[in-house]
Amino acid sequence: MSRVPGWLGRLGAGLTEMSERLNERRAEVEKEHADSADRVDSAGPGAPAPAGGPAADASAAESPVLPAPRPAPPSGPRPDPAQAVPWGVRVAAEAGWRLLVLAGTVWVLMRVISAVQLVVFAFVIALLVTALLQPTVARLTRRGVPRGPATALTAISGFVVIGLMGWFVTWQVMENIDTLSNQIQSGIDDLRNWLLKSPFHVTDKQINQIAKNLREAIGANADQITSAGLEGVQVIVEALAGILLVFFSTLFLLYDGKRIWEWFLKLVPAAARPGVAGAGPRAWRTLTAYVRGTVLVALIDAIFIGIGIYFLDVPMAVPLAVFIFLFSFIPLVGAVASGALAVIVALVTQGVFTALMTLVVVLAVQQIEGHVLQPFILGRAVRVHPLAVVLTVAAGGMVAGIGGAVVAVPLVAVTNTVVGYLRQYSEEIQRQKAAAPPAGEPAAENAEAPAHQG
């Protein structure tokens, strides 16, 4: 037991000596590190680092690694957030909200037009009729007839002719309705016999089932047919009101069209007034050329197709020709619908061969119209691509029915003319501004005038 305290004493003395040595070694390392830092500071920031040895490596190994300080935030104002958005995104956003505003404006305009649809259609039809009759008024005025009587005579004559056409079609249909019904019944029987003997393997049971389905459909929709008949009275009243609006609008447009146009120009802002004043007459010439050309083409179609179906002994050839004339005012679609009507009447009254011959006549006349009459008569006055015509007629029919299909193409033709003229007008204005001398400098002829006088 006497040896234990001595052993502990020696162990304590050894630990104390080791601790003193470590403290001395730490003090030396810290001193060497401080000396190297002083030398670096005295040598400047561009001086090379001192060559290290074992002691330097040891001091570097034992020196603590401090984290790099964070950069201080900028003291100036932050940049504009719009500058941080890419340029393409900003352009898309600018175009997007403008398109939204434009779409909203068009939607509101369409709602307003749909609310007063009768008035809008009456005025547009009056414009078309005025474009057709205005040359006659101008011709009578040049021959010495006062403008008032010339306007009244032309308008009344035009509407009398249109009314006589409608009366003639109605009279022909009512006169031939009984004969036509018998011919249709006989044609249906012939068509049924032809189907039974045809290679399509149609049986009598299938034909009877189709007839039964048609009768059931008519009986199930009897209420809707009755309500449609009652709504027809309202349609007739609206049609009469529209005819009166068209008549009076046409009278005023024929008599006072120039003053109405001048009053409209006063509503246009002064900066845009010269361009609109130049676009108006060009738009009117385009509309006049379209209406007169369409009437002439429709008249030629009606005459030649009517002559063809007359010689083929198709019933009511003259009323069908009038229908073809009226339907021709709907581009592309009207010609197809009127031709299909003539073929169907020929099929149910005269048989398959006569229907095929009627189809040949209709297609031949329409081909002549599309490749000869339209380019020759309309020429370059109405430059609308056929695809644009098809899409325009479809859109007009979806928005406003038959009336929309009728006015869609002349509206697009006039818009095309106006936009083309305004583009040329804007380019001419820019060219004149570029050619004009800067502000404060005299013009070329004014600058050369004193030299010429001297």
Side-chain angles (χ1 to χ4, degrees), residues 162-201:
I162 295 174
L164 287 176
M165 289 174 58
W167 171 81
F168 178 77
V169 171
T170 305
W171 172 63
Q172 285 290 314
V173 172
M174 296 302 296
E175 283 290 325
N176 297 277
I177 188 67
D178 296 332
T179 305
L180 184 62
S181 299
N182 296 330
Q183 290 179 341
I184 289 175
Q185 185 61 42
S186 177
I188 291 174
D189 294 336
D190 295 340
L191 181 61
R192 177 177 180 176
N193 295 330
W194 181 79
L195 289 174
L196 291 174
K197 297 178 182 179
S198 67
F200 299 109
H201 305 290

Side-chain angles (χ1 to χ4, degrees), residues 128 279-291 294 331 374 378-385 388-390 392-393 404-422:
L128 298 178
R282 289 165 176 80
W284 183 251
R285 285 196 293 269
T286 299
L287 183 62
T288 303
Y290 174 82
V291 174
T294 303
Q374 290 279 2
L378 294 179
R380 298 177 59 86
V382 182
R383 292 175 291 181
V384 181
H385 196 274
V389 173
V390 173
T392 301
V393 171
V406 171
V407 303
V409 175
L411 179 62
V412 170
V414 170
T415 303
N416 184 34
T417 301
V418 171
V419 171
Y421 171 77
L422 292 179

Side-chain angles (χ1 to χ4, degrees), residues 226-236:
T226 304
S227 62
L230 295 176
E231 291 177 356
V233 178
Q234 182 181 359
V235 171
I236 293 175

Side-chain angles (χ1 to χ4, degrees), residues 118-431:
L118 179 63
V119 178
V120 173
F121 274 128
F123 183 74
V124 173
I125 294 174
L127 281 175
L128 298 178
V129 177
T130 303
L132 178 63
L133 301 180
Q134 193 270 336
T136 304
V137 176
R139 192 176 298 112
L140 291 175
T141 304
R142 287 195 298 268
R143 293 186 177 182
V145 181
R147 189 166 187 82
T151 300
L153 180 62
T154 303
I156 293 174
S157 301
F159 280 96
V160 166
V161 171
I162 295 174
L164 287 176
M165 289 174 58
W167 171 81
F168 178 77
V169 171
T170 305
W171 172 63
Q172 285 290 314
V173 172
M174 296 302 296
E175 283 290 325
N176 297 277
I177 188 67
D178 296 332
T179 305
L180 184 62
S181 299
N182 296 330
Q183 290 179 341
I184 289 175
Q185 185 61 42
S186 177
I188 291 174
D189 294 336
D190 295 340
L191 181 61
R192 177 177 180 176
N193 295 330
W194 181 79
L195 289 174
L196 291 174
K197 297 178 182 179
S198 67
F200 299 109
H201 305 290
V202 180
T203 62
D204 193 19
K205 182 178 179 180
Q206 292 175 340
I207 296 176
N208 293 332
Q209 184 64 34
I210 293 173
K212 181 180 178 182
N213 294 335
L214 289 175
R215 287 193 298 269
E216 291 178 353
I218 294 174
N221 297 322
D223 296 337
Q224 297 181 2
I225 295 174
T226 304
S227 62
L230 295 176
E231 291 177 356
V233 178
Q234 182 181 359
V235 171
I236 293 175
V237 173
E238 292 181 353
L240 292 176
I243 291 172
L244 291 176
L245 286 174
V246 169
F247 179 75
F248 285 108
S249 300
T250 303
L251 278 177
F252 284 110
L253 289 173
L254 286 174
Y255 180 74
D256 219 7
K258 185 177 181 181
R259 290 179 58 187
I260 294 174
W261 172 245
E262 292 174 353
W263 172 83
F264 174 77
L265 285 178
K266 294 179 181 179
L267 303 178
V268 179
R273 194 171 299 165
V276 177
R282 289 165 176 80
W284 183 251
R285 285 196 293 269
T286 299
L287 183 62
T288 303
Y290 174 82
V291 174
R292 298 175 68 180
T294 303
V295 169
L296 184 57
V297 171
L299 186 62
I300 294 174
D301 286 352
I303 290 174
F304 282 97
I305 294 178
I307 292 174
I309 61 179
Y310 175 79
F311 283 106
L312 290 173
D313 291 332
V314 177
M316 296 194 306
V318 177
L320 286 175
V322 176
F323 274 114
I324 291 171
F325 173 78
L326 297 177
F327 274 74
S328 296
F329 284 92
I330 306 176
L332 301 179
V333 179
V336 174
S338 59
L341 179 62
V343 171
I344 290 174
V345 172
L347 176 64
V348 299
T349 56
Q350 299 296 326
V352 178
F353 177 76
T354 305
L356 291 176
M357 295 303 297
T358 303
L359 180 61
V360 170
V361 171
V362 171
L363 291 179
V365 174
Q366 289 181 357
Q367 289 297 316
I368 295 174
E369 171 199 342
H371 294 86
V372 178
L373 297 179
Q374 290 279 2
F376 179 75
I377 296 176
L378 294 179
R380 298 177 59 86
V382 182
R383 292 175 291 181
V384 181
H385 196 274
L387 178 60
V389 173
V390 173
L391 296 179
T392 301
V393 171
M398 293 174 62
V399 172
I402 297 178
V406 171
V407 303
V409 175
L411 179 62
V412 170
V414 170
T415 303
N416 184 34
T417 301
V418 171
V419 171
Y421 171 77
L422 292 179
R423 185 187 302 114
Q424 294 178 359
Y425 178 79
S426 177
E427 293 175 354
E428 183 66 24
I429 293 297
Q430 295 296 330
R431 194 179 302 113

